[in-house]
C-alpha cells in the first residue's frame, strides 16, 4: 500500500500536467522547464540536503550534458537516448575526477572550489568556439525520442519529462532509504560520529557528488532536447542561484521539495505578469527571504500540521 | 613565440590589475575576520564603484574628485545595507554557513540585475585620471593610471595598517577576528564591528573599481570576475591576512597576464580559476604559510 503522502504529490503533479496540456503550448513550455529543473534540483538535494555538503557548481555538469547531447545529436546523428546516457557517463567520470580532490575541502573552500568549477566550464563553453559555437549557441538539437518514436510536439515531451522527473525522485528516494543513504544522513548529522561508526566518509561524499552530477547532466541534456537550442548563458551563475531558490523554497532535504520549488519558481514569474524583466530580481528576493525566515522551505511547513508523521519520515 | 618586450609589457599590466585584485582580496579578509563569513558579493562593490562613478561623471558632469568623494560613501552604504538586511538577520537566526554564502551570492545577482535595469547593459568607461601617456620605457608602454593605482594602493595599505594597529576601532576589529566571544566579554560591540567591516570592505571595493575602470571598461556583470579573482588573491595569501592578500593579488595578476600572452586572452579566467583549485588543494593555508610567525590552519 503506497502511503497518501507519496500518492498526493504524484497525483498533484499529474493533475498540474493535465491542466498545463489543456491551457496551451505556453503553459506546457513553462511546466516542461519546471520538470527539467525538478531533475536538476533532485540531484542537488541529494548532495546538499541528504549529505549536508554544498556544490555551487552543478551547472558545470548540466553544461556537459547539454552540450554533449547537442553535439552528439545535431552533428553526429546520435539518438537522444544514447546521447543522454553517454553524456551522463562523461559527467559522472568528470565528477569523479574533480570531486576526489575537491571534496576534501570544507566550508567556504568547498563552496568556492565548486563555484570555480561552474565558472571554468562556463568560460570554456564561451571560449572553445570550435566545439560550442561560443555566444552564438548551439541550435538544431532534435526533440526527445523513445525507441525510434520521435516526441515531436511539446505536449508529448511534457508527459515524458513528467515521467522522467517522477522516476528521478523515485530513484533518489530509494537511494536515500538504502544503507548508503542512511550513511549520508549520518555524515550530514556529524562527520566525527559517522567516522566512528565506520562509514567511509570520503567515499560516500564522492558517490553522492557523482549522483548529483548524473542528475544535473540528464537535466542539461533534456533541456537541450526540449528547447532545441543552448547557449553558455543557460548554464551560468543564474542557473545556480535559480536552482537554489527552488531547492530552499520547496524544502531542502525533503523528497518532494525540489519538485514543489521548481514548479512554484517556474510559474511565479508567469503568474505575475509584467514581472518578466524583473524575473532574476524576483528569484533572488524570494531566495533571500526564504533563507532568512523559513530555511526549511514550504515542505517544512507541513510538519506544523502533521508533526508526528513527518518527523518519522524525516528520520527514515 | 612571444618576445621579451611582450613579457615585460604583460607583467606591467599584470601588476596594475593584480593590485586591484589585492584590494578586493583585502575586502574579503576584512569581512571574514570580523564575522567569519566569506562575502560572495564582494565583486559587486567593485562593479558599483566603477558604474556609480561613471554615472555621476556623465549625468551630472561633476569633476572627478567630487564624483569619487560621492561614490565611495554611496557604495559603502550598499555594504551596510547588505549587512543589516541579509547577513545580520541570518546570523541571529543561526543560519548555516552555506545558507549565508548563498544569500550573499543571491544578493550579488540582485544588485547586478538592478544595475542592469537602471543603467543599461552598455559597457562604460571614463578618462584616465591624468591625461596624456602612456609613458614609454623603450618599447614598454606604461599608462599613467598604473601610477595612480600603485600610489593609491600603497596609501590605502598604509592607512589600513594604521587603522588596524593605531585606532580603537581597528584594534577592536582585530580582537573580533581572534575570538568573537572574548571580544564581546571585553565590551566590544561585536555587532557594530561587523557593520563597520562591511562598510569598510565595500568602500575598499569601490575604490578598486574607481581606480581600475579607466584601464578597461565596466558593466553590470564585471563583478563576478573581480570577486572571484579577489578571493583567489586572498586564498593565495592565506585567508584572513591583508598583506598576504595584496601579495597574492600581485602574483595572480602577473600570472594571469602571462597566461594571456601564452594562451590567449579568452582563457585568462580559466587560468586564474585553475590557480585557485591548485592552491586550495595543495596549499590550503596559502602559499606564504609557514613564513609568518602565526600561521594557523583553517
Amino acid at each position: 500500500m503506497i502511503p497518501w503522502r507519496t500518492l498526493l504529490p504524484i497525483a498533484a503533479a499529474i493533475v498540474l500536467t493535465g491542466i498545463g496540456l489543456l491551457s496551451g503550448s505556453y503553459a506546457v513550455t513553462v511546466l516542461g522547464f519546471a520538470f527539467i529543473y525538478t531533475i536538476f534540483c533532485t540531484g542537488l538535494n541529494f548532495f546538499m540536503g541528504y549529505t549536508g555538503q554544498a556544490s555551487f557548481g552543478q551547472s558545470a555538469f548540466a553544461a556537459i550534458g547539454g552540450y554533449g547531447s547537442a553535439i552528439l545529436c545535431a552533428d553526429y546523428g546520435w539518438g537522444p537516448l544514447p546521447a543522454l546516457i553517454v553524456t551522463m557517463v562523461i559527467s559522472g567520470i568528470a565528477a569523479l575526477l574533480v570531486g576526489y580532490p575537491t571534496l576534501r575541502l570544507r566550508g567556504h573552500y568547498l563552496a568556492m572550489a565548486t563555484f570555480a568549477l561552474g565558472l571554468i566550464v562556463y568560460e570554456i563553453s564561451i571560449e572553445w568556439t570550435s566545439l560550442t559555437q561560443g555566444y552564438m549557441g548551439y541550435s538544431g538539437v532534435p526533440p526527445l525520442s523513445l525507441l525510434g518514436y520521435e516526441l515531436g510536439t511539446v505536449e508529448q515531451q511534457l508527459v515524458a519529462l513528467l515521467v522522467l522527473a517522477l522516476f528521478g525522485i523515485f530513484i533518489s528516494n530509494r537511494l536515500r532509504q538504502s544503507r548508503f543513504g542512511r550513511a549520508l544522513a549520518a555524515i550530514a548529522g556529524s562527520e566525527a560520529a559517522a567516522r566512528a561508526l565506520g562509514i567511509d566518509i570520503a567515499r560516500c561524499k564522492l558517490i553522492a557528488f557523482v549522483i548529483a552530477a548524473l542528475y544535473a547532466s540528464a537535466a542539461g541534456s533534456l533541456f537541450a532536447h526540449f528547447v532545441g537550442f543552448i547557449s553558455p548563458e543557460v548554464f551560468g551563475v543564474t542557473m545556480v542561484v535559480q536552482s537554489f531558490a527552488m531547492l530552499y523554497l520547496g524544502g531542502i532535504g525533503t523528497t518532494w521539495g525540489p519538485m514543489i520549488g521548481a514548479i512554484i519558481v517556474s510559474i511565479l514569474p508567469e503568474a505575475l505578469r509584467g514581472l518578466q524583466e524583473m524575473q532574476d530580481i524576483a528569484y533572488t528576493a524570494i531566495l533571500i527571504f526564504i533563507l532568512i525566515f523559513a530555511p526549511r522551505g514550504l515542505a517544512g511547513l507541513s510538519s506544523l500540521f502533521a508533526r508526528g508523521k513527518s518527523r518519522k519520515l524525516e528520520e527514515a | 613565440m612571444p618576445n621579451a618586450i611582450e613579457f615585460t609589457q604583460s607583467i606591467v599590466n599584470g601588476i596594475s590589475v593584480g593590485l586591484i585584485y589585492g584590494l578586493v582580496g583585502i575586502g574579503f579578509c576584512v569581512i571574514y575576520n570580523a564575522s567569519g563569513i566569506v562575502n560572495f558579493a564582494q565583486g559587486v562593490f567593485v562593479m558599483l564603484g566603477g558604474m556609480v562613478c561613471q554615472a555621476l561623471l556623465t549625468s551630472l558632469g561633476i569633476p572627478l574628485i567630487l564624483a569619487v568623494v560621492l561614490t565611495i560613501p554611496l557604495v559603502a552604504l550598499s555594504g551596510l545595507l547588505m549587512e543589516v538586511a541579509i547577513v545580520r538577520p541570518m546570523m541571529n537566526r543561526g543560519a548555516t554557513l552555506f545558507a549565508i554564502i548563498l544569500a550573499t551570492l543571491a544578493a550579488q545577482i540582485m544588485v547586478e540585475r538592478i544595475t542592469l535595469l537602471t543603467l543599461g547593459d552598455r559597457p562604460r568607461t571614463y578618462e584616465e585620471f591624468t591625461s596624456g601617456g602612456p609613458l614609454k620605457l623603450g618599447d614598454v608602454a606604461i599608462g599613467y593610471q598604473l601610477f595612480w593605482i600603485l600610489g593609491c594602493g600603497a596609501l590605502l595599505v598604509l592607512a589600513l595598517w594604521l587603522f588596524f594597529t593605531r585606532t580603537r576601532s581597528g584594534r577592536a576589529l582585530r580582537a573580533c577576528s581572534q575570538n568573537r566571544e572574548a571580544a564581546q566579554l571585553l565590551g566590544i560591540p561585536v555587532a557594530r564591528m561587523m557593520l563597520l567591516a562591511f562598510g569598510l570592505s565595500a568602500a575598499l571595493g569601490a575604490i578598486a573599481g574607481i581606480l581600475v575602470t579607466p584601464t578597461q571598461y565596466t558593466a553590470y556583470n564585471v563583478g563576478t570576475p573581480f570577486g572571484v579573482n579577489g578571493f583567489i588573491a586572498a586564498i593565495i595569501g592565506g585567508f584572513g591576512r591583508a598583506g598576504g592578500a595584496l601579495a597574492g593579488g600581485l602574483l595572480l595578476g602577473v600570472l594571469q597576464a602571462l597566461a594571456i600572452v601564452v594562451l590567449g586572452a579568452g582563457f585568462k579566467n580559466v587560468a586564474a580559476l585553475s590557480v585557485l583549485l591548485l592552491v586550495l588543494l595543495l596549499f590550503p593555508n596559502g602559499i606564504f604559510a609557514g613564513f609568518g610567525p602565526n600561521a594557523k590552519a583553517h
Side-chain angles (χ1 to χ4, degrees):
Chain A
M1 178 69 194
I2 308 171
W4 66 271
R5 288 184 67 91
T6 310
L7 279 179
L8 195 67
I10 294 176
I14 292 172
V15 168
L16 198 63
T17 308
I19 296 173
L21 288 173
L22 292 177
S23 35
S25 63
Y26 188 69
V28 171
T29 312
V30 172
L31 270 181
F33 286 134
F35 291 147
I36 291 170
Y37 262 104
T38 300
I39 296 173
F40 185 86
C41 293
T42 303
L44 192 62
N45 189 34
F46 201 82
F47 188 61
M48 287 193 70
Y50 299 167
T51 321
Q53 302 300 302
S55 174
F56 289 66
Q58 288 305 103
S59 56
F61 302 111
I64 293 178
Y67 275 103
S69 280
I71 291 166
L72 287 175
C73 295
D75 286 358
Y76 294 91
W78 284 42
L81 198 61
L84 178 91
I85 292 165
V86 166
T87 51
M88 278 174 78
V89 171
I90 296 173
S91 292
I93 293 172
L96 205 62
L97 293 178
V98 165
Y100 183 73
T102 312
L103 295 183
R104 288 185 308 166
L105 301 168
R106 288 210 185 89
H108 296 113
Y109 286 6
L110 178 63
M112 195 39 114
T114 50
F115 189 55
L117 287 178
L119 288 177
I120 288 177
V121 172
Y122 173 68
E123 293 275 343
I124 290 176
S125 68
I126 292 173
E127 299 296 339
W128 195 354
T129 46
S130 61
L131 184 74
T132 64
Q133 305 185 4
Y135 279 118
M136 296 274 294
Y138 219 97
S139 55
V141 189
L144 275 178
S145 63
L146 274 179
L147 309 170
Y149 177 69
E150 189 172 272
L151 304 174
T153 67
V154 280
E155 284 80 9
Q156 289 166 339
Q157 294 202 47
L158 178 68
V159 176
L161 288 173
L162 170 69
V163 172
L164 285 171
L166 291 176
F167 180 66
I169 292 173
F170 171 74
I171 296 282
S172 152
N173 206 36
R174 294 295 294 168
L175 277 172
R176 181 200 193 184
Q177 288 163 1
S178 68
R179 185 185 166 82
F180 166 67
R182 292 196 298 275
L184 294 184
I187 293 174
S190 159
E191 284 197 18
R195 186 174 289 121
L197 288 171
I199 293 168
D200 186 344
I201 292 177
R203 191 163 149 265
C204 284
K205 280 187 192 172
L206 190 57
I207 296 173
F209 186 62
V210 170
I211 290 172
L214 294 179
Y215 274 89
S217 175
S221 296
L222 292 172
F223 184 94
H225 290 300
F226 188 63
V227 183
F229 170 81
I230 49 171
S231 65
E233 292 305 322
V234 174
F235 307 110
V237 181
T238 326
M239 179 184 203
V240 175
V241 173
Q242 196 174 326
S243 58
F244 276 116
M246 293 167 175
L247 195 52
Y248 273 93
L249 180 70
I252 190 164
T254 61
T255 306
W256 294 101
M259 181 174 253
I260 298 171
I263 291 173
I264 294 177
V265 172
S266 301
I267 292 179
L268 200 66
E270 316 299 332
L272 308 169
R273 291 236 169 254
L275 209 72
Q276 288 296 22
E277 55 178 6
M278 307 270 285
Q279 207 172 16
D280 290 329
I281 299 176
Y283 292 140
T284 50
I286 293 172
L287 178 57
I288 292 173
F289 191 81
I290 293 274
L291 283 171
I292 295 174
F293 295 106
R296 293 185 59 211
L298 294 180
L301 292 182
S302 71
S303 64
L304 295 177
F305 304 112
R307 184 150 294 188
K309 267 184 190 168
S310 70
R311 278 288 149 72
K312 235 184 284 169
L313 208 80
E314 267 152 31
E315 281 161 13
Chain B
M1 187 63 200
N3 56 27
I5 294 165
E6 277 182 277
F7 267 117
T8 323
Q9 181 73 58
S10 69
I11 288 174
V12 168
N13 298 342
I15 288 173
S16 86
V17 73
L19 264 172
I20 298 295
Y21 295 160
L23 289 180
V24 183
I26 295 176
F28 271 110
C29 298
V30 168
I31 289 184
Y32 179 76
N33 282 342
S35 64
I37 291 167
V38 173
N39 173 26
F40 269 44
Q42 200 68 30
V44 142
F45 302 135
V46 182
M47 181 274 286
L48 281 178
M51 291 295 274
V52 172
C53 189
Q54 198 273 348
L56 288 175
L57 278 174
T58 50
S59 64
L60 298 184
I62 55 177
L64 180 73
I65 181 75
L66 200 59
V68 172
V69 169
L70 283 174
T71 302
I72 296 172
L74 276 175
V75 178
L77 198 65
S78 74
L80 300 183
L81 201 66
M82 198 176 286
E83 202 273 343
V84 172
I86 300 173
V87 176
R88 180 170 306 187
M90 292 192 74
M91 286 191 97
N92 288 346
R93 285 156 195 271
T96 61
L97 181 69
F98 292 133
I100 299 180
I101 292 178
L102 185 55
T104 61
L105 187 64
Q108 155 147 353
I109 304 245
M110 186 191 270
V111 175
E112 279 181 358
R113 294 294 145 167
I114 293 172
T115 314
L116 175 65
L117 285 181
T118 49
L119 296 175
D121 61 353
R122 189 170 52 86
R124 302 145 177 266
T125 187
Y126 44 85
E127 294 283 297
E128 296 199 355
F129 293 179
T130 310
S131 58
L135 186 69
K136 286 276 195 182
L137 286 180
D139 285 328
V140 180
I142 306 175
Y144 286 156
Q145 192 66 23
L146 173 62
F147 296 106
W148 276 101
I149 295 176
L150 280 173
C152 293
L155 276 178
L156 270 177
V157 172
L158 184 69
L160 280 174
W161 181 74
L162 287 174
F163 171 73
F164 278 114
T165 53
R166 296 283 189 274
T167 67
R168 275 185 79 86
S169 302
R171 289 178 182 166
L173 265 178
R174 278 167 58 214
C176 293
S177 78
Q178 282 169 6
N179 187 330
R180 241 170 303 161
E181 280 176 17
Q184 184 110 49
L185 285 174
L186 288 172
I188 294 172
V190 174
R192 208 183 303 160
M193 286 297 129
M194 265 182 62
L195 198 61
L196 175 66
F198 268 83
L200 186 61
S201 180
L204 273 174
I207 295 173
I210 293 168
L211 283 171
V212 81
T213 299
T215 68
Q216 35 187 268
Y217 70 94
T218 186
Y220 74 97
N221 58 359
V222 299
T224 308
F226 277 116
V228 171
N229 286 322
F231 182 84
I232 300 173
I235 289 265
I236 294 176
F239 217 89
R241 281 189 290 262
L246 200 66
L250 282 173
L251 194 65
L252 179 68
V254 172
L255 270 177
Q256 211 179 36
L258 292 177
I260 294 176
V261 175
V262 179
L263 301 173
F267 286 94
K268 66 170 184 174
N269 288 332
V270 178
L273 293 164
S274 309
V275 169
L276 166 70
L277 290 181
L278 281 180
V279 172
L280 277 179
L281 298 172
L282 301 178
F283 311 97
N285 293 322
I287 61 172
F288 308 118
F291 299 148
N294 48 2
K296 62 172 182 180
H298 282 281

